[in-house]
Amino acid sequence: MARDFYEVLGVPRTASADEIQQAFRKLARRYHPDVNKDPAAEERFKELNEAYSVLSDPGQRARYDRFGPDFRQIPEDYDERVAAAAGAGRGGWPGGVGGGRVRYARDTAEGFGGFGGAGVSFEDLFGDLFGAGGAPDRVAGADQEAELHLSVEEAYRGGRRSVTLAGPGGPRTYDVTIPRGVTDGQRIRLAGQGGRGSGGATAGDLYLRVRIEPNPLFRLDGRDIHVTLPVAPWEAALGATVPVPTPGGTAKVTVPAGSSSGRKLRLRGEGMPNPRGAPGDLYAEVRIMVPPRLSDRERELFAELAAASSFDPRRQR
């Protein structure tokens, strides 16, 4: 069973919006995967995000408080159906919007999930949306967050991309500008695309949390990029200039003579771009590769080398 969202954030059910936000920020800093390397931290961070996204949205919080963990399974127009079943016409709710406590004596929720039976009050349904005088409260929309998965190459180049996200009203497509050199965990803000405000208040913002997908060639460490550089035994022994892949294309790197596997060659500034400062570096790690099959001549040459050389790699410490 899913944990209670209030318990997840460590706040009472009476907590204010500010208290909920403060609790989330404190815990998010502790469990963010970029800071906390515990394998369980990422799941804890996702749990915090889900709890905050619901409790920071006045509408979702009201539904969660009323229906509990199953609130997403209740149709969003549930309250309107209840009102219609109770006999409300086009002119408004029975008794008027500010007309006090309205109760429905029979199970008006039949067919909508089995709720009702004990009567449904107008104030219970709309207490968070309407004030005592019947006028809607101005409540700004909550900020929302979603994940944006990018390849290393997309993060390196940046550019424009269409992103489709699921939402309560169905999928929506956004035209997103991806900054060049965006890093894992960075957020991209889409102003006014978050939760809708009530009473004419402004909408919240939508934040896209960047998640850079694993790549078979490149490993990221902040803005630095690490790549394996295969070299032949003679290139490692004699030195050579060889090509090395980067997210922006192919570069050249000089392998010094006498290089062994594990040696790291630094290409300054060839890492992830940084719009606000110095770019990262690219580190090419030498890996000596031996031909899987030797021709007769290659075998002769390797045999001659073995006979002529006094080198013993097992004595090299």
Side-chain angles (χ1 to χ4, degrees):
M1 180 178 295
R3 290 178 61 192
D4 180 83
F5 287 158
Y6 292 96
E7 179 185 338
V8 169
L9 295 177
V11 297
R13 303 187 77 84
T14 56
S16 66
D18 286 343
E19 290 171 333
I20 288 172
Q21 185 180 69
Q22 290 171 8
F24 170 73
R25 287 179 174 176
K26 178 180 178 180
L27 292 170
R29 284 194 293 268
R30 183 189 306 173
Y31 291 103
H32 194 288
D34 290 346
V35 177
N36 192 328
K37 301 304 181 183
D38 188 323
E42 184 171 357
E43 288 303 316
R44 180 77 169 101
F45 186 72
K46 289 180 180 178
E47 186 180 45
L48 290 169
N49 259 334
E50 182 183 14
Y52 179 68
S53 68
V54 172
L55 298 186
S56 63
D57 184 313
Q60 289 198 72
R61 181 179 180 182
R63 287 169 57 78
Y64 178 74
D65 288 345
R66 177 165 177 75
F67 300 113
D70 296 328
F71 75 104
R72 291 189 178 95
Q73 300 177 22
I74 309 301
E76 290 197 0
D77 61 350
Y78 168 75
D79 295 335
E80 296 174 9
R81 298 187 189 184
V82 169
R90 291 181 177 269
W93 292 83
V97 170
R101 204 165 179 82
V102 180
R103 288 199 171 272
Y104 309 113
R106 57 194 177 87
D107 186 357
T108 56
E110 183 178 356
F112 303 121
F115 291 88
V120 181
S121 78
F122 178 85
E123 291 178 0
D124 288 341
L125 292 175
F126 291 96
D128 286 340
L129 299 180
F130 293 91
D137 294 329
R138 289 178 57 83
V139 180
D143 291 342
Q144 297 177 343
E145 183 170 300
E147 289 191 347
L148 174 62
H149 291 264
L150 301 176
S151 67
V152 174
E153 292 83 357
E154 287 176 314
Y156 183 93
R157 294 190 303 264
R160 305 282 291 181
R161 175 172 164 182
S162 291
V163 178
T164 301
L165 301 174
R172 290 187 62 186
T173 299
Y174 306 89
D175 193 18
V176 180
T177 298
I178 301 171
R180 187 167 182 261
V182 67
T183 57
D184 191 76
Q186 186 173 333
R187 297 197 307 173
I188 299 173
R189 175 175 174 252
L190 302 182
Q193 299 298 320
R196 291 178 297 179
S198 64
T202 58
D205 298 331
L206 172 62
Y207 290 90
L208 299 180
R209 177 79 64 176
V210 171
R211 293 301 177 200
I212 299 180
E213 297 174 338
N215 187 285
L217 290 179
F218 309 114
R219 180 177 63 83
L220 300 183
D221 181 11
R223 294 192 180 275
D224 292 335
I225 301 174
H226 295 259
V227 61
T228 299
L229 180 65
V231 299
W234 47 90
E235 291 174 328
L238 304 176
T241 299
V242 298
V244 58
T246 78
T250 301
K252 294 285 188 178
V253 62
T254 298
V255 180
S259 293
S260 297
S261 287
R263 182 171 188 172
K264 292 184 178 180
L265 309 176
R266 179 185 181 190
L267 281 74
R268 187 184 300 273
E270 292 292 338
M272 295 293 284
N274 185 359
R276 296 184 178 85
D281 299 326
L282 185 141
Y283 292 89
E285 183 175 331
V286 172
R287 179 177 295 175
I288 299 174
M289 307 296 289
V290 176
R293 296 182 182 82
L294 298 176
S295 67
D296 292 342
R297 181 56 180 157
E298 287 172 330
R299 188 177 297 277
E300 289 176 6
L301 292 173
F302 272 112
E304 290 179 17
L305 176 61
S309 178
S310 62
F311 175 66
D312 185 351
R314 287 161 293 283
R315 291 186 178 178
Q316 305 301 310
R317 300 296 183 186

